[in-house]
Each structure stands twice: as structure tokens, then as C-alpha cells.
Amino acid sequence: MNPHPAWLHGLFAVLPTPMVAGGHLDLESLDRVVDHYLAGGATGLVPASIAGEGHLLDEHERRLVIERVARRSAGRAPVIVGVLDDHTHLALALARVAADCGASGLLVKPPVGDAAAVLAHVDTIARALHLPIILMDHPKFGGLLPVDLLQRLADTVPEVCGIKVEEEPTPDKMTRVRAVLGERLRLFGGLGGVHCLAELAAGAEGFFTGYPHPDQLVAVMACWRRGDHAAAVAASERMMPVATWEREHPESMILQRKVILRDAGVISEAVVRSRAAAPPDDLARGP
């Protein structure tokens, strides 16, 4: 497999999942979410990931969300689906749904465990589906991905082509990955773009984030790519109030994004789902 799909660059919008009172899906608003991020310059769409409350959706809801995003995007951008479960057989089932819905790739959360467990988990998904895999690298949400493990993954799992770096300080992690792996993995920032300039300087190809003003982050990248770093700094300053607030209030990030999108007329209601409303772990995981 080509380790660098041609579409793997720029802003991959981690889409919020609109809901109405009671926590039911609002698929009409989801159509507008897709349009909003594409109009803002997103090059890819990421439904059903953590910031999209994907871990709180049941199997039917998850399929509805992925299918709706794929249908609305209508080939305008690749769809990269979050695969979040630590249990390999369940993660594989989630990945198969994504493939059935036309996903171009997978954003895979490594399981909590040792290096052998992470390698086996990622390799099983890769061998089954042969879709490009971007790895999530956030210690709060998954297993650790030290540079030596990333090298082993790149050596043994050709589908692994990128990494979303959220282990802080993110520019330092990117620099270490680049020093060992060169251009073999494409590097992406996250965290609402709060470290965007330093990450671009460290070699980031773009960002995986649901930051609610995508045009602002796209402007930062455009200025940086053409070498106008002063304009990039000015563009980043426009997004820092929201990005910094998100960084300081991670527990409210999803709600804040939905409030901004509601006030902009993109979604109808700013409703988030509590974990209590999600399927019970035992029921969701099965035997």
C-alpha cells in the first residue's frame, strides 16, 4: 500500500454529532455540519470519533452517522472513521461497518496495553480491511505510542500511514517521530489547533480536529505553506481565544463547539449525550 494516500493532508474535520433534547440524533443538522466544515476548507471528514461522541453511540446510531456523512459528502472529501474500542473483535466490527459505509480510511485508537497488544490490535484491523490507518496518540484516550513502537508499526503494518499527535508537548513528539521515521508517517496535530504554529514548524501535514471555525485554521495553514509566517501568526491569533478555552476546559469542549455551531445556525440544538445515556459497557461489549 502507498503509505501516503494523495488525500492525506490538510484539515480533517472531526465532526460533532448533532443531537436534540433527549439525546436523539439530528441527522438534518449533521448534513449542515458536513457542509459547514467542507465550506470552511476541510479536506477530509471524521465522523464517530471521540469528539463526535462516537464512543457513546450504539451500533445502529453509529452506522446512521457514518452513512449520512458519506452520503452528504458525495465524494467531495474522504471519510475517515474513528475506531475506538480497546477490544480487538469489537474494534474490527466497528471498522467493518466503516468500510461497508464507504470509508476511505480509519482513525484507530490504540488499546491500553503493552506494545505487543497494540501491534496485534492494529495489525488485525489492517489485515482484515487493508484501509489506510491513522493512529491516535493521546495518552488520556488510548495506549501509549512511544517512537520505538511507532517504528515497529511502520515496519510491520504498511496500512499505517499517519499519526494524530496529542501527546504533549506535541511539537517535541513530532520532531522525535520525524527524526526516526523521516517522511514514512504523516504527522497531524489535534487539540483544537491550539499548538498549530509550533506543530507546522515541526512538520505537521495538517490537523485532525473539530475546531468549530475551520476556515480560521485553514487560513493558518495556507499562510504557513506559502511562507508568509507573519500572516500565519496573525491568523492563528484569531483562533486562539476559542482554541485556548477548549484546551483549558476539555470536559466542556464538545458542548462549547456545539454552542458555537448552534449560534451560527449550523445545528438546531447544543445537546451532548451523558455517558449514562450510552449503552451499558457489558451490553455494548457483548460476551
Side-chain angles (χ1 to χ4, degrees), residues 9-16 33-34 36-38 40-49 51-52 69 77-80 107 164 207-212 214 217-218 257:
H9 62 89
L11 173 61
F12 284 76
V14 180
L15 304 178
V33 166
V34 169
H36 170 75
Y37 281 97
L38 289 179
T43 52
L45 302 170
V46 186
S49 195
V69 169
V79 176
I80 313 302
L107 179 63
K164 177 188 179 186
F207 302 90
F208 275 70
T209 178
Y211 178 77
L217 187 49
V218 168
R257 288 180 179 177

Side-chain angles (χ1 to χ4, degrees), residues 131-182:
L131 287 173
I133 290 175
I134 297 89
L135 298 169
M136 300 176 75
D137 181 39
H138 194 316
K140 178 180 177 182
F141 297 117
L144 295 174
L145 290 173
V147 176
D148 62 336
L149 177 53
L150 286 172
Q151 185 173 22
R152 291 173 66 187
L153 284 161
D155 287 343
T156 60
V157 187
E159 288 80 6
V160 172
C161 54
I163 178 172
K164 177 188 179 186
V165 179
E166 294 184 298
E167 180 183 353
E168 297 183 272
T170 54
D172 292 353
K173 178 70 173 281
M174 289 182 176
T175 299
R176 286 185 281 119
V177 173
R178 184 68 80 219
V180 173
L181 288 170

Side-chain angles (χ1 to χ4, degrees), residues 162-273:
I163 178 172
K164 177 188 179 186
V165 179
E166 294 184 298
E167 180 183 353
E168 297 183 272
T170 54
D172 292 353
K173 178 70 173 281
M174 289 182 176
T175 299
R176 286 185 281 119
V177 173
R178 184 68 80 219
V180 173
L181 288 170
E183 302 293 330
R184 293 174 64 189
L185 293 184
R186 289 198 168 171
L187 307 177
F188 293 85
L191 300 173
V194 72
H195 304 307
C196 59
L197 290 178
E199 290 168 348
L200 288 167
E205 294 281 349
F207 302 90
F208 275 70
T209 178
Y211 178 77
H213 303 293
D215 57 310
Q216 295 178 354
L217 187 49
V218 168
V220 175
M221 286 189 285
C223 294
W224 183 272
R225 300 297 183 210
R226 68 172 181 260
D228 191 344
H229 292 180
V233 170
S236 72
E237 288 174 350
R238 288 191 286 274
M239 59 177 291
M240 280 307 110
V242 171
T244 301
W245 191 95
E246 289 187 357
R247 183 70 187 87
E248 294 173 350
H249 303 86
E251 72 287 348
S252 303
M253 179 197 72
I254 295 172
L255 175 60
Q256 173 67 5
R257 288 180 179 177
K258 288 186 173 183
V259 168
I260 290 171
L261 294 172
R262 180 201 63 195
D263 293 349
V266 178
I267 65 177
S268 297
E269 299 183 42
V271 174
V272 298
R273 177 169 292 180

